[in-house]
PDB file of all heavy atoms in Angstrom:
ATOM      1  N   VAL U  52     -44.374 -40.854 -59.600  1.00  0.00           N
ATOM      2  CA  VAL U  52     -44.095 -39.419 -59.525  1.00  0.00           C
ATOM      3  C   VAL U  52     -43.329 -38.936 -60.757  1.00  0.00           C
ATOM      4  O   VAL U  52     -42.780 -37.843 -60.748  1.00  0.00           O
ATOM      5  CB  VAL U  52     -43.320 -39.072 -58.234  1.00  0.00           C
ATOM      6  CG1 VAL U  52     -44.157 -39.367 -57.002  1.00  0.00           C
ATOM      7  CG2 VAL U  52     -41.993 -39.814 -58.164  1.00  0.00           C
ATOM      8  N   SER U  53     -43.335 -39.743 -61.824  1.00  0.00           N
ATOM      9  CA  SER U  53     -42.536 -39.398 -63.004  1.00  0.00           C
ATOM     10  C   SER U  53     -43.020 -38.109 -63.654  1.00  0.00           C
ATOM     11  O   SER U  53     -42.261 -37.443 -64.342  1.00  0.00           O
ATOM     12  CB  SER U  53     -42.551 -40.541 -64.010  1.00  0.00           C
ATOM     13  OG  SER U  53     -43.880 -40.809 -64.432  1.00  0.00           O
ATOM     14  N   GLY U  54     -44.282 -37.732 -63.448  1.00  0.00           N
ATOM     15  CA  GLY U  54     -44.806 -36.525 -64.060  1.00  0.00           C
ATOM     16  C   GLY U  54     -44.479 -35.251 -63.308  1.00  0.00           C
ATOM     17  O   GLY U  54     -44.769 -34.155 -63.802  1.00  0.00           O
ATOM     18  N   LEU U  55     -43.894 -35.378 -62.126  1.00  0.00           N
ATOM     19  CA  LEU U  55     -43.585 -34.186 -61.339  1.00  0.00           C
ATOM     20  C   LEU U  55     -42.312 -33.517 -61.832  1.00  0.00           C
ATOM     21  O   LEU U  55     -41.393 -34.184 -62.285  1.00  0.00           O
ATOM     22  CB  LEU U  55     -43.394 -34.559 -59.861  1.00  0.00           C
ATOM     23  CG  LEU U  55     -44.592 -35.133 -59.130  1.00  0.00           C
ATOM     24  CD1 LEU U  55     -44.214 -35.438 -57.686  1.00  0.00           C
ATOM     25  CD2 LEU U  55     -45.772 -34.179 -59.174  1.00  0.00           C
ATOM     26  N   ALA U  56     -42.276 -32.214 -61.708  1.00  0.00           N
ATOM     27  CA  ALA U  56     -41.050 -31.480 -62.014  1.00  0.00           C
ATOM     28  C   ALA U  56     -40.007 -31.792 -60.949  1.00  0.00           C
ATOM     29  O   ALA U  56     -40.351 -32.144 -59.815  1.00  0.00           O
ATOM     30  CB  ALA U  56     -41.336 -29.986 -62.044  1.00  0.00           C
ATOM     31  N   ALA U  57     -38.741 -31.659 -61.314  1.00  0.00           N
ATOM     32  CA  ALA U  57     -37.674 -31.878 -60.346  1.00  0.00           C
ATOM     33  C   ALA U  57     -37.804 -30.875 -59.205  1.00  0.00           C
ATOM     34  O   ALA U  57     -38.180 -29.718 -59.420  1.00  0.00           O
ATOM     35  CB  ALA U  57     -36.318 -31.730 -61.027  1.00  0.00           C
ATOM     36  N   GLY U  58     -37.517 -31.325 -57.996  1.00  0.00           N
ATOM     37  CA  GLY U  58     -37.595 -30.427 -56.851  1.00  0.00           C
ATOM     38  C   GLY U  58     -37.885 -31.180 -55.576  1.00  0.00           C
ATOM     39  O   GLY U  58     -37.849 -32.408 -55.543  1.00  0.00           O
ATOM     40  N   VAL U  59     -38.198 -30.424 -54.538  1.00  0.00           N
ATOM     41  CA  VAL U  59     -38.475 -31.004 -53.223  1.00  0.00           C
ATOM     42  C   VAL U  59     -39.983 -30.997 -53.004  1.00  0.00           C
ATOM     43  O   VAL U  59     -40.661 -30.002 -53.285  1.00  0.00           O
ATOM     44  CB  VAL U  59     -37.769 -30.197 -52.111  1.00  0.00           C
ATOM     45  CG1 VAL U  59     -38.082 -30.783 -50.740  1.00  0.00           C
ATOM     46  CG2 VAL U  59     -36.271 -30.166 -52.354  1.00  0.00           C
ATOM     47  N   TYR U  60     -40.504 -32.120 -52.500  1.00  0.00           N
ATOM     48  CA  TYR U  60     -41.942 -32.270 -52.265  1.00  0.00           C
ATOM     49  C   TYR U  60     -42.183 -32.801 -50.859  1.00  0.00           C
ATOM     50  O   TYR U  60     -41.299 -33.380 -50.237  1.00  0.00           O
ATOM     51  CB  TYR U  60     -42.555 -33.241 -53.285  1.00  0.00           C
ATOM     52  CG  TYR U  60     -42.542 -32.697 -54.688  1.00  0.00           C
ATOM     53  CD1 TYR U  60     -41.446 -32.898 -55.515  1.00  0.00           C
ATOM     54  CD2 TYR U  60     -43.614 -31.962 -55.175  1.00  0.00           C
ATOM     55  CE1 TYR U  60     -41.415 -32.378 -56.797  1.00  0.00           C
ATOM     56  CE2 TYR U  60     -43.594 -31.441 -56.462  1.00  0.00           C
ATOM     57  CZ  TYR U  60     -42.499 -31.649 -57.274  1.00  0.00           C
ATOM     58  OH  TYR U  60     -42.469 -31.137 -58.539  1.00  0.00           O
ATOM     59  N   LEU U  61     -43.405 -32.626 -50.409  1.00  0.00           N
ATOM     60  CA  LEU U  61     -43.834 -33.155 -49.115  1.00  0.00           C
ATOM     61  C   LEU U  61     -44.871 -34.233 -49.356  1.00  0.00           C
ATOM     62  O   LEU U  61     -45.860 -34.016 -50.060  1.00  0.00           O
ATOM     63  CB  LEU U  61     -44.444 -32.040 -48.253  1.00  0.00           C
ATOM     64  CG  LEU U  61     -43.517 -30.865 -47.963  1.00  0.00           C
ATOM     65  CD1 LEU U  61     -44.282 -29.766 -47.234  1.00  0.00           C
ATOM     66  CD2 LEU U  61     -42.325 -31.315 -47.129  1.00  0.00           C
ATOM     67  N   LEU U  62     -44.630 -35.398 -48.780  1.00  0.00           N
ATOM     68  CA  LEU U  62     -45.583 -36.496 -48.858  1.00  0.00           C
ATOM     69  C   LEU U  62     -46.305 -36.567 -47.517  1.00  0.00           C
ATOM     70  O   LEU U  62     -45.660 -36.703 -46.484  1.00  0.00           O
ATOM     71  CB  LEU U  62     -44.849 -37.806 -49.129  1.00  0.00           C
ATOM     72  CG  LEU U  62     -45.799 -38.996 -49.211  1.00  0.00           C
ATOM     73  CD1 LEU U  62     -45.951 -39.412 -50.653  1.00  0.00           C
ATOM     74  CD2 LEU U  62     -45.311 -40.144 -48.389  1.00  0.00           C
ATOM     75  N   GLN U  63     -47.632 -36.448 -47.542  1.00  0.00           N
ATOM     76  CA  GLN U  63     -48.394 -36.426 -46.300  1.00  0.00           C
ATOM     77  C   GLN U  63     -49.334 -37.613 -46.230  1.00  0.00           C
ATOM     78  O   GLN U  63     -50.114 -37.868 -47.142  1.00  0.00           O
ATOM     79  CB  GLN U  63     -49.201 -35.132 -46.177  1.00  0.00           C
ATOM     80  CG  GLN U  63     -49.940 -35.046 -44.860  1.00  0.00           C
ATOM     81  CD  GLN U  63     -50.809 -33.806 -44.767  1.00  0.00           C
ATOM     82  OE1 GLN U  63     -50.762 -32.923 -45.610  1.00  0.00           O
ATOM     83  NE2 GLN U  63     -51.610 -33.749 -43.725  1.00  0.00           N
ATOM     84  N   VAL U  64     -49.232 -38.351 -45.122  1.00  0.00           N
ATOM     85  CA  VAL U  64     -50.131 -39.460 -44.834  1.00  0.00           C
ATOM     86  C   VAL U  64     -50.631 -39.248 -43.413  1.00  0.00           C
ATOM     87  O   VAL U  64     -49.841 -39.252 -42.465  1.00  0.00           O
ATOM     88  CB  VAL U  64     -49.409 -40.819 -44.941  1.00  0.00           C
ATOM     89  CG1 VAL U  64     -50.373 -41.956 -44.625  1.00  0.00           C
ATOM     90  CG2 VAL U  64     -48.805 -41.001 -46.322  1.00  0.00           C
ATOM     91  N   ASN U  65     -51.932 -39.028 -43.271  1.00  0.00           N
ATOM     92  CA  ASN U  65     -52.502 -38.689 -41.964  1.00  0.00           C
ATOM     93  C   ASN U  65     -51.764 -37.482 -41.383  1.00  0.00           C
ATOM     94  O   ASN U  65     -51.672 -36.461 -42.038  1.00  0.00           O
ATOM     95  CB  ASN U  65     -52.453 -39.891 -41.011  1.00  0.00           C
ATOM     96  CG  ASN U  65     -53.343 -41.027 -41.490  1.00  0.00           C
ATOM     97  OD1 ASN U  65     -54.251 -40.819 -42.286  1.00  0.00           O
ATOM     98  ND2 ASN U  65     -53.072 -42.219 -41.020  1.00  0.00           N
ATOM     99  N   ASN U  66     -51.214 -37.610 -40.190  1.00  0.00           N
ATOM    100  CA  ASN U  66     -50.506 -36.486 -39.567  1.00  0.00           C
ATOM    101  C   ASN U  66     -49.010 -36.538 -39.779  1.00  0.00           C
ATOM    102  O   ASN U  66     -48.277 -35.796 -39.142  1.00  0.00           O
ATOM    103  CB  ASN U  66     -50.792 -36.468 -38.059  1.00  0.00           C
ATOM    104  CG  ASN U  66     -52.260 -36.274 -37.781  1.00  0.00           C
ATOM    105  OD1 ASN U  66     -52.957 -35.591 -38.518  1.00  0.00           O
ATOM    106  ND2 ASN U  66     -52.749 -36.885 -36.721  1.00  0.00           N
TER     107      ASN U  66
END
Side-chain angles (χ1 to χ4, degrees):
V52 296
S53 60
L55 297 180
V59 179
Y60 293 88
L61 301 174
L62 180 105
Q63 183 184 352
V64 180
N65 294 340
N66 298 327

